[in-house]
Amino acid sequence: MTKKLKCLVFSLFIILIMISCRSPKPVQNENKTQTITITETLHDTVFKIAKDSSSYNALLECLNGKVVLKNVIQAEPGRTLKSPKVRLDNNKLQVDCNLKEQELYAHWKSKQVKDVQEKTITITKFSNHLTFWQKAQIWLGRLLLLVLLFLIGRCISKIYKPEWFK
């Protein structure tokens, strides 16, 4: 029984090998190229603040040996400065005009990432394609081969007449 099975499997394997031949499919080649460019730029700047001033004009008068403010002619503030503070104590004039320190310096980094991907697909095309008639001839040849194998097997079985084939 095992000989019969081995012989049957072997003959089916041979038949499948003969039938399974066919032309190769077109080959696709795919090439990918990825380029990442990182540009880092350092930025800095100084903000300039324009000049500023304020003024104060007043008339002074002397009364009993002491200096006294008679009247204020003009008190003009600046852009960021307020009008000066004026004090007169014991014949001593004090004018206060304050401006906070203003120096601005900016420093930053900027990062620019540029990602470029190139994808190239190459398809190999075959120039010699089979026509319908050529394909029909191939299938008819396969069919003829199967018929011939069947007839050869039958002739061999008549000559040897094995017991498993009865």
Side-chain angles (χ1 to χ4, degrees):
M1 182 74 176
T2 58
K3 252 186 175 181
K4 291 181 196 178
L5 187 61
K6 284 182 184 178
C7 189
L8 183 65
V9 169
F10 181 71
S11 58
L12 284 176
F13 180 71
I14 294 294
I15 291 171
L16 284 175
I17 286 177
M18 291 180 156
I19 293 176
S20 67
C21 297
R22 64 176 164 168
S23 62
K25 292 183 178 180
V27 179
Q28 284 188 350
N29 295 333
E30 185 174 314
N31 298 330
K32 287 184 179 180
T33 305
Q34 184 174 7
T35 306
I36 298 175
T37 306
I38 299 174
T39 306
E40 193 170 288
T41 308
L42 182 65
H43 302 279
D44 62 347
T45 187
V46 174
F47 297 102
K48 293 184 180 179
I49 298 170
K51 290 193 276 182
D52 197 11
S53 63
S54 63
S55 63
Y56 189 87
N57 293 327
L59 292 176
L60 300 176
E61 188 175 282
C62 195
L63 287 175
N64 299 329
K66 289 189 176 181
V67 178
V68 180
L69 284 172
K70 186 175 181 183
N71 65 345
V72 177
I73 298 172
Q74 181 184 15
E76 192 173 305
R79 287 186 198 157
T80 55
L81 285 174
K82 296 180 181 176
S83 295
K85 295 178 183 175
V86 178
R87 284 177 281 167
L88 194 58
D89 290 329
N90 297 329
N91 291 335
K92 191 176 183 184
L93 179 66
Q94 289 182 342
V95 179
D96 294 329
C97 185
N98 293 327
L99 176 64
K100 291 184 179 176
E101 186 176 313
Q102 293 181 342
E103 182 178 315
L104 299 173
Y105 177 72
H107 175 77
W108 71 94
K109 285 183 183 181
S110 67
K111 188 183 279 188
Q112 183 179 9
V113 178
K114 185 178 180 183
D115 188 7
V116 178
Q117 290 182 348
E118 289 184 21
K119 190 175 185 181
T120 307
I121 298 176
T122 308
I123 299 175
T124 306
K125 293 185 179 179
F126 296 105
S127 58
N128 298 331
H129 293 286
L130 296 175
T131 62
F132 173 74
W133 179 242
Q134 290 171 333
K135 289 179 184 177
Q137 286 177 339
I138 289 171
W139 280 103
L140 288 173
R142 290 176 182 166
L143 186 63
L144 179 64
L145 181 66
L146 288 175
V147 170
L148 283 175
L149 286 175
F150 177 73
L151 291 176
I152 290 172
R154 198 167 161 205
C155 287
I156 291 174
S157 69
K158 282 185 181 180
I159 294 172
Y160 291 112
K161 292 187 182 181
E163 295 176 16
W164 59 269
F165 198 65
K166 291 182 182 178

